[in-house]
Amino acid sequence: MLHTPPGGADTGTAAAESGPVSIGAVLQALREEFPEVTVSKIRFLEAEGLVEPERSPSGYRKFRTEDIERLSYVLRMQRDHYLPLKVIREHLDALGRGERPPAIPAPTREAPEPGVTPPAPAVRIGRKELLTVAGIDEAELAEWEAYGLVAASADGAYELTEVTVARLVTDLGRFGLEPRHLRAMKAAAERQVDLVEQIVAPLRRHRDPRTRARAESTAQELAGLSVRLHAALVQAALRPRGD
């Protein structure tokens, strides 16, 4: 079993208070700090050897408090410092030996406007992780990228929105839909983005910094309403109609 980081490693996520718990309970504990974490992500980190939960006689995973703390540490290092898993594993090994891990440069961020809460840093994953989570191979991912369905950031990492897209493309593929069939959906999404940008562009150019800061929240709200409208229109179109 890999050693758990000792106290003082900033493991603030709520953990189980008594006895081993299921992966569902771990997910609930982690989501207080990491809302985007999934069961697939936890299983991937287990497969990478960053956490080794016990197994019940029937084969179910049982996580201890120190397992949850390790997961919190890994997710925090990815979110706040964008560290690859190899480096995070070295940190955990050093902590397990009672040593100080290598220094981490403090992330540089612009000061937020007064009265504006900055967005939380996004959790990102690497290419290998995306392949595992989506259950696809390199050729499939390359095809998706060629059609513009999924795109990595400049440093090769993927935002969780890209992970969501990958999972949905995988699910649609089980019904025989190929990436070329999804180009229309991609084009429709881009048209929605263009419409949202037309509305928020005046806010971004406003002299008042608070008005400029509201542009992002307005864009997110408009995007959410657009998605809901699209879903409602599809459901309405599929509803059986009388003669």
Side-chain angles (χ1 to χ4, degrees), residues 99-119:
E99 302 172 0
R100 182 181 297 274
I104 304 172
T108 57
R109 297 185 184 130
E110 296 181 1
E113 298 290 350
V116 176
T117 301

Side-chain angles (χ1 to χ4, degrees), residues 51-186:
V51 63
E52 296 181 8
E54 299 174 353
R55 292 278 183 165
S56 68
S58 55
Y60 290 103
R61 295 173 177 83
K62 291 297 181 181
F63 293 81
R64 301 171 300 174
T65 299
E66 50 265 39
D67 295 324
I68 302 177
E69 291 175 345
R70 286 179 68 88
L71 289 168
S72 298
Y73 186 91
V74 173
L75 294 171
R76 195 174 294 113
M77 291 300 101
Q78 287 187 311
R79 181 193 65 191
D80 296 347
H81 304 286
Y82 309 115
L83 295 183
L85 293 182
K86 178 181 178 181
V87 175
I88 297 174
R89 185 181 292 106
E90 292 172 354
H91 280 229
L92 289 170
D93 290 344
L95 289 168
R97 295 190 300 268
E99 302 172 0
R100 182 181 297 274
I104 304 172
T108 57
R109 297 185 184 130
E110 296 181 1
E113 298 290 350
V116 176
T117 301
V123 178
R124 309 193 308 165
I125 67 174
R127 192 176 187 86
K128 182 179 177 181
E129 292 174 278
L130 181 62
L131 293 173
T132 301
V133 170
I136 57 174
D137 57 29
E138 180 65 40
E140 289 175 292
L141 179 54
E143 184 181 12
W144 294 1
E145 290 176 323
Y147 280 101
L149 299 174
V150 177
S153 302
D155 61 357
Y158 295 85
E159 305 287 348
L160 286 187
T161 50
E162 303 294 329
V163 178
T164 300
V165 170
R167 287 181 179 141
L168 291 172
V169 173
T170 299
D171 291 341
L172 289 169
R174 289 199 286 267
F175 292 90
L177 290 174
E178 301 176 8
R180 59 189 175 87
H181 299 137
L182 304 179
R183 286 183 296 183
M185 294 185 184
K186 171 69 173 177

Side-chain angles (χ1 to χ4, degrees), residues 166-238:
R167 287 181 179 141
L168 291 172
V169 173
T170 299
D171 291 341
L172 289 169
R174 289 199 286 267
F175 292 90
L177 290 174
E178 301 176 8
R180 59 189 175 87
H181 299 137
L182 304 179
R183 286 183 296 183
M185 294 185 184
K186 171 69 173 177
E190 291 173 345
R191 288 194 295 270
Q192 286 182 323
V193 171
D194 290 341
L195 180 59
V196 170
E197 287 298 324
Q198 289 177 26
I199 297 173
V200 301
L203 299 178
R204 299 187 197 278
R205 296 192 297 266
H206 203 278
R207 291 184 176 182
D208 187 345
R210 287 172 294 187
T211 301
R212 294 199 302 271
R214 285 200 301 272
E216 295 306 319
S217 61
T218 300
Q220 292 299 320
E221 183 176 3
L222 286 170
L225 290 171
S226 299
V227 170
R228 289 169 56 190
L229 175 60
H230 177 81
L233 291 172
V234 171
Q235 291 295 331
L238 291 173

